[in-house]
Amino acid sequence: EVQLVESGGGLVQPGGSLRLSCAASGFTFSSSWMHWVRQAPGKGLVWVSRISSDGSSTSYAESVKGRFTISRDNAKNTLYLQMNSLRAEDTAVYYCASQMRALPFYWGQGTLVTVSS
Amino acid sequence: QSALTQPASVSGSPGQSITISCTGTSSDVGGYNYVSWYQQHPGKAPKLMIYEVSNRPSGVSNRFSGSKSGNTASLTISGLQAEDEADYYCSSYSSTSTVVFGGGTKLTVL
């Protein structure tokens, strides 16, 4: 059974940093491209970032470019999202997802990030 | 990276069919067959219902179908059931090597 379990969310002050993790199991993580998608409270889904299976290729939404960094450790079957210079508008549930045919497929249950003073 | 355009809400009675549209541009929906649809119930993670415009993952009911014409993709749900009531999102691969989602459509089963 595919499982994606996010962790690392919490309350952080504006300008602060947070690192999210996504532990994967039940599929060949090292062969899968992965995504981060977020959803602000009561709002829609917004794509954040994507990383290739070997970590050599990454892409970001304009709204997070230069502030967020996606990475992975295939030996640990774990995906990461390093978030710096956080803003109130980054408040959201962050989901990790495996990719199928260029787009998110299996999704984790999400972790809530709240940026507030 | 403008969001794809979906109707905010649609509704239908049990047993009826509904269609949700998803309009993009030639740089996303119209340019690729990488269009997916997701179902999200309140407080839950999204679930993939359709990928590559019209393909259903294993386990998804054949009451769900997808299509595309030009820059507009569509999700049709036939034989509406109470459990279909949820939010639905489309997404597409984009020419900038990014992914774009629609704003979401709330489906109400009357």
Side-chain angles (χ1 to χ4, degrees), chain A residues 39 59 62 101 103-105 108, chain B residues 1 38 40 45 48 52 97:
Chain A
Q39 186 170 35
S59 55
E62 284 298 322
R101 301 294 190 265
L103 297 172
F105 181 18
Chain B
Q1 292 176 338
Y38 304 90
Q40 187 180 35
L48 180 68
E52 281 185 307
S97 296

Side-chain angles (χ1 to χ4, degrees), chain A residues 3-23:
Chain A
Q3 278 203 322
L4 295 167
V5 180
E6 302 92 337
S7 61
L11 176 63
V12 61
Q13 292 188 338
S17 297
L18 213 54
R19 189 177 83 155
L20 306 183
S21 299
C22 170

